Structure formats: C-alpha cells, structure tokens
Amino acid sequence: MIHAQTSRMAQRLMVALDYPDEQAARRLIGKLEGIPCYMKVGMQLFYQAGPQFVRELKSLGYSVFLDLKMHDIPNTVKGGASSIAKLGVDMFNVHAAGGSAMMQAAVQGVEEALANDASLSRPLVIAVTQLTSTDAATMNGEIGIPGSVEDAVVRYAKLAAGAGLDGVVASPLEAAGIKDACGKDFRTVTPGIRPAGSAADDQSRTRTPGEAISGGSDYIVVGRPITAASDPKEAAIRIIEEMMG
Ligand code: C5P
C-alpha cells in the first residue's frame, strides 16, 4: 500500500512498455501491481497488440500514453486522432514537424470524437519536437534545419503551443527553456531518465528522476531501469522516491 503523496507522484512516472507482445507486457504489469503509474504504449507493442491491449490497460485503471508520433497530411491525422480519442487514452502525440495545420487537425479529431461520445474524456495532445536521436550534424546537414538543436526544440514547442497542443516530448535538459517560452502549464514529457548510479544504456544526455522533476518535467518516461530490473516494483518505488526529492 503506498500513501497519497507517493500515489500522486506515481502518476507522473510513465513506464515504457517496450515489448514485442502483450504477454511480455502483462508480465511486467503483474510485477508492478499496486503502483498507479502511467503506461506508455509505443509502436512496437501497439502494432502487435493493437487497440484491445490499450482497452485492457484502461480497464485495469491505468492512465495510458499512446506514443505513435503521427505525422501525415492534416485530414489523415485528424482521422487518426479521432480513432485514438475513441480508445480512451489519456495522452497521445504527433510530430511538430507536420506544421500547425496538422497539429490543429489532431485537436479537431479529438473534439469530433468527444462530440459524438459524452463518456470520453479529452486526452492530452503532445508534440514531438526534434528527436533526441538527431544531433546538430543530422539536423543541419541532412534535414536542412539551421541553428542549434535547443533552438529548434523551443521553436517547435512554441509552434505546438500556438496550435493548441498541451505540451511536448523533450529532453529533461530542455524542459526549463520550454516552460520559459510556452508557460508553466505547457506540459513537458521527458525520456532519457536514469536513476542515480544506473546504466545509461544507449541514452546519452541523461538526468536522474529528481533532477528531471526539479528541472520542470511534468512526466518522466522510464523504460529499462524498470523493465530490466530484477525487481521492477522495487525499482519503480525507488524512482518515485527520487522524484519526490
Ligand atoms: O529504456 P529507456 O528508459 O531508455 O526508454 C525510454 C523510452 O522513451 C523509450 O520508449 C524510447 O522510445 C522513448 N523515447 C526516448 N527519446 C525520445 C523519445 C522517446 O527515449 N526522444
């Protein structure tokens, strides 16, 4: 049994269910029983397990971030957003690089779904800014966006805020700059988190859970430090305690 303050902080921890199928994801969920964290479902799991598994997570009482990073013409994204909203997820995302018309279309898709079903609640619509896997060399030399990655991220965040989105996915290092540019209510969702003393894996510029929260992250995304732990529940509780400072 965890107490109320811990439970509120647990809702800011998003566990990345990076698994090839629902059986593997269910095994982790079983081990995390009693922790009211957010569950992040990405492409690998969703393309295999589909909407039914998202409904299963919702019926277990979890908040769900559907991380599918849509990027298409506005009309197609509007339809996609409408279908996602009907699933009852709590958060989903689109690429800011699709432009403001595309992001507005995502919000319209949500509104259409809500208008047709009063039982649905409005999911947060979040933008992907510049992928952390693209460095300045890739962004400047290949994609053709000039300037620093930090500037590009803030520009994308402002574009997303102007289009009516609720926040962005970003590095924890960028959260404070995004809040300065877009306001404190504009959410920041930050991966690249590693508890003090744990392996960095393939993440390069990591922050601890405590540093991320004190630096302005609203939600932290954690995968392997929990999914690969010998005791995932103990690892998750330790992370929530680090978040509380
Ligand atoms: O295992 P780890 O904690 O590194 O997992 C981080 C999660 O956050 C993964 O699901 C990864 O796809 C996601 N992510 C990320 N960096 C981004 C966007 C998403 O690591 N820029």
Side-chain angles (χ1 to χ4, degrees), residues 16 18 40 67 69 131-132 169 191-194 202-203 221-225:
D18 292 328
K40 183 176 90 72
D67 180 18
K69 301 184 174 68
L131 292 172
T132 47
V169 183
I193 305 294
R194 288 294 176 269
D202 55 354
Q203 299 280 12
V221 178
V222 182
R224 287 159 291 181

Side-chain angles (χ1 to χ4, degrees), residues 107-127:
V107 175
Q108 283 163 14
V110 167
E111 280 161 5
E112 266 185 25
L114 265 53
N116 292 323
D117 183 349
S119 72
L120 294 172
S121 47
R122 190 185 184 284
L124 296 172
V125 189
I126 300 290

Side-chain angles (χ1 to χ4, degrees), residues 54-212:
V54 172
R55 291 192 196 98
E56 182 177 323
L57 288 173
K58 289 303 302 173
S59 72
L60 291 170
Y62 288 108
S63 294
V64 176
F65 171 21
L66 190 54
D67 180 18
L68 297 181
K69 301 184 174 68
M70 285 193 287
H71 188 172
D72 208 316
I73 60 171
N75 190 55
T76 301
V77 168
K78 183 177 167 188
S82 186
S83 292
I84 287 175
K86 287 178 199 157
L87 276 177
V89 303
D90 302 274
M91 180 185 288
F92 71 93
N93 56 5
V94 300
H95 269 279
S100 52
M102 192 207 78
M103 289 190 275
Q104 283 162 3
V107 175
Q108 283 163 14
V110 167
E111 280 161 5
E112 266 185 25
L114 265 53
N116 292 323
D117 183 349
S119 72
L120 294 172
S121 47
R122 190 185 184 284
L124 296 172
V125 189
I126 300 290
V128 178
T129 55
Q130 190 61 44
L131 292 172
T132 47
S133 53
T134 52
D135 56 12
T138 310
M139 199 185 81
N140 302 154
E142 292 184 13
I143 307 173
I145 298 173
S148 70
V149 173
E150 290 72 22
D151 288 349
V153 166
V154 169
R155 198 165 44 80
Y156 276 136
K158 284 181 175 164
L159 194 67
L165 267 62
D166 301 295
V168 286
V169 183
S171 152
L173 296 156
E174 291 150 0
I178 291 165
K179 294 273 182 187
D180 286 346
C182 303
K184 68 173 176 34
D185 294 336
F186 192 67
R187 272 58 152 217
T188 53
V189 178
T190 64
I193 305 294
R194 288 294 176 269
S198 73
D201 303 309
D202 55 354
Q203 299 280 12
S204 49
R205 300 185 306 152
T206 63
R207 282 292 172 268
T208 67
E211 287 166 346

